[in-house]
Amino acid sequence: MNAFYERHKEEIERILAKYPPEHKRSAMLPLLYLAQRDRGYITREDMAQIAEILGVSVTEVDGVVGFYTLLHDKPGGKYRIQVCTDLPCALRGAEQFLHQLEEALGIKAGETTPDGLITLEEVMCIAACDKAPVFQVQTGEGLTYYENMDLEKTLALIEQWRRAEDAPSQNGGRPTGSESTTINQQSSTNNP
Amino acid sequence: MPEKHLLLRHRDIPDIHELEVYRKHGGFEAFRKAVTQMTPDEVTEEVKKSGLRGRGGAGFPTGLKWSFMDKKNWPHYVVANADESEPGTFKDREIMERNPFQFLEGVAIAAYAVQANRAYIYLRGEFWQVAAWLDRKIAEMEAAGLLGDNLFGTDYSLRIYTHLGAGAYICGEETALLESLEGKRGMPRLRPPFPPSYGLYGKPTVVNNVETLTNVPLIIERGADWYRTIGTEKSTGPKVFSLSGHVNRPGNYELPLGTTFRELIFEHGGGIPGGKAIKAILPAGASSAILPATDEVLDTPMDYESVPKVGSFLGSASVIVVDESVDIAWLVRKTIHFFKHESCGKCTPCREGTYWMDKLMEKVMAGQATPEDLEILYDVAKQIQGKTLCALGDFATMAVVSGIERFKQDFERAVKALVEVGV
Ligand SMILES: Cc1cc2nc3c(=O)[nH]c(=O)nc-3n(C[C@H](O)[C@H](O)[C@H](O)COP(=O)(O)O)c2cc1C
Ligand code: SF4
Ligand code: FES
């Protein structure tokens, strides 16, 4: 078919099997996530090859990428820290938290650190309003929630990433899909 | 031990997310009963009799919705709405993370009731880990013969799949959700036709919220008459209230529909931090008409009939509490900012209206608004109402209109500041 297909053949077939064969376009978002996993963002070439696999035009794929905030067509930091500053979180100090983080990192929301490690972003409610300040960290591999955070804990986390960069054989603190296995330990409740 | 929770059962039963534990507590007996002892129509009828209403915001009767499925057009689909994006709402996530099988059993029973052989769970893209977790739980059900072909020795077969969105509030609207699930941009469809006649891939489809579906096993297992003993006459059953903002103990609370705001906020939520006074309540997240926290409002039962009587809606019951330190103009600006960001742009009143409301609120907050600006703001909001393709347009006006009408002093302050300096 094409290079993208060859590269991810098994996974693509597994994804396509979830939808009726005549509606394989439904695999659009899953395939775009797959492309994003390779580089952290989606290239024009990926879009063309995904379009070919799904039998739609590149323009349509491009339109989809542009519509959704978790899909990126430009490179950003390896870790995208996405802080929620929506109303319920803002009532509990999320905006101050974001400002502290901006100062500590020396970048504004929307910017990337010069070493390319971190992009700081402001996002709308992520369904964790009782645990503010909260952020999610998006990498090509997936997305992890960090709840009840403060500046100190956040900087410690970033320090872990930096160390992992220096020792590339180790995974230290990097969110991966496999963390989902611990979902029940990261309880979403703090009341009876 | 008395049963404290019917939906958030993990709070009473440790490890209910393990299949053996769930089954030890009667798990999947309702699904078995439905498939082996009841006709699909009997299941729908029981849900109708229970009075269960949609927990995703609109409160539409669930059994009635299922009965609308077009039986001349096949196949049928069930889609669980796990988009949970309304600011202030975080109940579906807790259900899926901690009591996943009760939700999945609800999906299965709904699918049997409308004779769907495929069901999809559409999760917001942020729920990446929840989706992976549900995939594991679905695999466990398959391994145990609870999903797949010839279930319980009948000729009924069912498969359930998860599908991740990618960050767009509008995909919680059911027709936008279906477009997104079809691999398109998530823009609402013109209705009618509604999903039970024209849904996923143009086929009859039931779309229900996660919490709605989680009620269904209880109804089938214990019967509609038992279910109706919980809640009020017209708003039956338990409800998970997401409590956030200025309260000592924010979190999810499962209480019967008809519990008062006062009980939720002061008894369960522990009241307002720092001994401050409560100023306002948003009962339905950012989409709410804002309620001043008067005694009348605090003593209002939280059900689908009573909240409109005091001037708002119950919606998904995401109760945001605001103390006296908050400037309502600031709050309104926050909500507008959200809706402007999330408007899909398909229809003009919503796209342009949210843009203008945002601009005007920016002026108000900068202390540069004139009294005329405030009037224009109010008019723009009023003109959006009832003129948009989906309810997001209306949602965007709720805080603006109620804010200006009910908290005039907070807006006038911004405007007056300007008059005083002689502009
Ligand atoms: C803008 C908008 C956003 C919505 N977001 C959600 C949502 O996140 N989750 C949800 O269950 N329903 C949401 N709804 C309601 C759905 O359109 C639909 O009514 C619901 O999924 C039906 O299920 P129910 O009857 O079980 O509540 C939204 C509606 C609108 C207009
Ligand atoms: S009301 Fe807003 S969100 Fe809904 S279809 Fe129109 S532009 Fe899109
Ligand atoms: S407002 Fe921040 S998670 Fe809901």
Side-chain angles (χ1 to χ4, degrees):
Chain A
M1 168 63 99
N2 57 42
F4 182 78
Y5 180 82
E6 292 307 327
R7 201 157 66 238
H8 300 289
K9 198 168 176 172
E10 263 173 45
E11 260 176 293
I12 292 177
E13 287 303 329
R14 211 167 42 234
I15 291 166
L16 287 173
K18 290 168 82 168
Y19 310 98
E22 66 277 27
H23 298 293
K24 58 183 177 184
R25 181 177 179 153
S26 278
M28 178 81 80
L29 293 179
L31 293 193
L32 287 167
Y33 276 126
L34 207 53
Q36 194 152 282
R37 199 175 66 194
D38 293 341
R39 273 179 220 86
Y41 73 104
I42 302 158
T43 64
R44 204 60 206 170
E45 199 184 326
D46 292 332
M47 291 186 210
Q49 300 191 9
I50 288 171
E52 192 184 0
I53 296 168
L54 299 180
V56 299
S57 73
V58 194
T59 322
E60 279 178 274
V61 180
D62 191 37
V64 168
V65 173
F67 189 82
Y68 297 96
T69 56
L70 291 175
L71 299 176
H72 311 285
D73 60 2
K74 283 180 203 69
K78 186 161 175 186
Y79 299 87
R80 293 174 185 268
I81 302 182
Q82 302 168 336
V83 182
C84 172
T85 57
D86 215 341
L87 177 60
C89 280
L91 291 172
R92 302 181 76 85
E95 291 176 327
Q96 289 88 313
F97 171 71
L98 178 68
H99 291 317
Q100 288 176 349
L101 200 52
E102 284 179 331
E103 267 179 28
L105 291 174
I107 53 170
K108 294 248 167 265
E111 296 175 353
T112 303
T113 51
D115 60 1
L117 193 68
I118 292 159
T119 298
L120 190 60
E121 291 170 320
E122 207 176 341
V123 293
M124 303 296 171
C125 182
I126 58 173
C129 330
D130 54 336
K131 309 275 199 321
V134 296
F135 57 80
Q136 58 191 15
V137 175
Q138 191 191 14
T139 67
E141 260 103 320
L143 218 145
T144 310
Y145 275 53
Y146 293 89
E147 304 177 316
N148 294 315
M149 293 304 279
D150 57 30
L151 187 64
E152 202 183 329
K153 283 196 259 182
T154 309
L155 294 179
L157 180 69
I158 293 171
E159 193 44 43
Q160 258 183 47
W161 298 339
R162 289 231 156 89
R163 275 204 299 274
E165 284 303 295
D166 297 339
S169 58
Q170 303 214 326
N171 185 287
R174 181 164 174 183
T176 64
S178 63
E179 280 191 29
S180 59
T181 53
T182 60
I183 202 156
N184 257 279
Q185 280 74 56
Q186 325 174 328
S187 136
S188 73
T189 53
N190 55 7
N191 50 42
Chain B
M1 191 179 79
E3 234 180 355
K4 279 171 66 194
H5 298 92
L6 296 163
L7 303 170
L8 306 179
R9 276 169 83 206
H10 51 277
R11 296 190 183 184
D12 305 330
I13 305 171
D15 296 333
I16 198 162
H17 61 273
E18 303 289 355
L19 187 56
E20 345 49 291
V21 177
Y22 183 64
R23 294 189 84 168
K24 217 176 81 198
H25 288 87
F28 291 106
E29 286 310 312
F31 184 38
R32 178 197 302 275
K33 178 177 169 188
V35 174
T36 59
Q37 297 170 32
M38 296 169 83
T39 65
D41 286 348
E42 281 168 357
V43 175
T44 302
E45 200 48 43
E46 197 66 22
V47 173
K48 232 191 220 174
K49 261 178 34 197
S50 75
L52 173 65
R53 297 168 66 169
R55 305 299 197 230
F60 191 83
T62 306
L64 189 63
K65 184 190 278 187
W66 296 3
S67 72
F68 289 158
M69 288 290 274
D70 181 354
K71 290 185 180 164
K72 292 194 207 73
N73 191 0
W74 297 89
H76 289 178
Y77 293 103
V78 164
V79 177
N81 188 340
D83 194 62
E84 189 157 66
S85 306
E86 179 68 41
T89 315
F90 43 88
K91 63 192 177 66
D92 297 338
R93 184 177 154 216
E94 179 174 345
I95 292 172
M96 292 186 288
E97 286 184 353
R98 309 295 303 281
N99 189 13
F101 287 119
Q102 189 172 332
F103 159 57
L104 291 168
E105 185 174 8
V107 175
I109 296 170
Y112 174 74
V114 301
Q115 290 291 289
N117 301 115
R118 252 174 206 269
Y120 290 97
I121 301 167
Y122 183 100
L123 301 110
R124 60 179 299 178
E126 289 80 358
F127 288 173
W128 181 284
Q129 295 187 327
V130 185
W133 168 249
L134 288 181
D135 282 342
R136 276 180 51 197
K137 297 292 132 187
I138 290 168
E140 286 170 28
M141 283 172 69
E142 282 169 356
L146 296 163
L147 286 176
D149 292 329
N150 301 107
L151 293 170
F152 309 114
T154 69
D155 60 3
Y156 181 63
S157 61
L158 173 66
R159 284 185 173 72
I160 301 178
Y161 303 96
T162 59
H163 183 98
L164 270 181
Y169 169 74
I170 190 59
C171 290
E173 193 283 331
E174 56 186 16
T175 61
L177 182 153
L178 295 172
E179 289 285 297
S180 178
L181 181 48
E182 291 181 3
K184 301 172 193 157
R185 289 181 295 170
M187 289 188 171
R189 295 174 181 169
L190 198 64
R191 284 158 306 161
F194 292 93
S197 41
Y198 187 94
L200 183 62
Y201 310 130
K203 297 296 175 186
T205 302
V206 157
V207 183
N208 271 134
N209 169 261
V210 169
E211 183 188 353
T212 311
L213 292 163
T214 305
N215 277 271
V216 169
L218 298 169
I219 295 167
I220 299 306
E221 184 191 328
R222 309 184 194 187
D225 292 336
W226 165 82
Y227 189 84
R228 294 194 73 94
T229 62
I230 307 160
T232 71
E233 203 202 322
K234 287 187 179 152
S235 297
T236 60
K239 176 83 192 79
V240 182
F241 296 90
S242 293
L243 182 64
S244 69
H246 290 143
V247 282
N248 280 314
R249 291 194 297 271
N252 286 318
Y253 294 93
E254 179 186 323
L255 301 164
L257 279 165
T259 303
T260 63
F261 285 111
R262 193 187 296 281
E263 183 182 331
L264 173 70
I265 296 167
F266 289 93
E267 269 178 47
H268 303 285
I272 316 302
K276 292 209 178 93
I278 179 171
K279 179 171 184 176
I281 300 170
L282 283 79
S287 305
S288 314
I290 312 165
L291 293 171
T294 59
D295 280 334
E296 187 200 358
V297 165
L298 284 168
D299 290 322
T300 301
M302 296 182 288
D303 60 53
Y304 298 104
E305 288 70 41
S306 305
V307 182
K309 284 188 195 142
V310 289
S312 194
F313 290 99
L314 185 62
S316 50
S318 332
V319 179
I320 306 174
V321 177
V322 177
D323 77 20
E324 58 188 341
S325 69
V326 174
D327 173 6
I328 297 296
W330 168 85
L331 185 152
V332 168
R333 162 96 168 105
K334 275 304 252 193
T335 69
I336 290 300
H337 184 69
F338 173 81
F339 289 110
K340 180 192 153 228
H341 186 265
E342 301 299 337
S343 167
C344 82
K346 187 165 174 170
C347 55
T348 316
C350 171
R351 186 185 58 238
E352 299 291 314
T354 51
Y355 173 82
W356 281 111
M357 290 194 297
D358 190 51
K359 281 268 165 231
L360 287 161
M361 278 313 297
E362 208 179 297
K363 264 176 110 175
V364 170
M365 292 317 289
Q368 292 167 350
T370 63
E372 289 74 46
D373 285 332
L374 213 53
E375 256 172 60
I376 298 173
L377 174 64
Y378 187 79
D379 284 348
V380 171
K382 279 288 190 188
Q383 279 171 32
I384 297 172
Q385 293 183 345
K387 297 206 182 58
T388 56
L389 196 62
C390 84
L392 187 143
D394 279 345
F395 291 171
T397 67
M398 291 295 158
V400 181
V401 171
S402 59
I404 295 176
E405 284 176 355
R406 298 171 189 169
F407 299 88
K408 211 171 209 116
Q409 68 285 5
D410 287 16
F411 287 83
E412 274 169 355
R413 196 164 355 106
V415 173
K416 237 192 233 131
L418 178 103
V419 178
E420 273 161 15
V421 289
V423 182

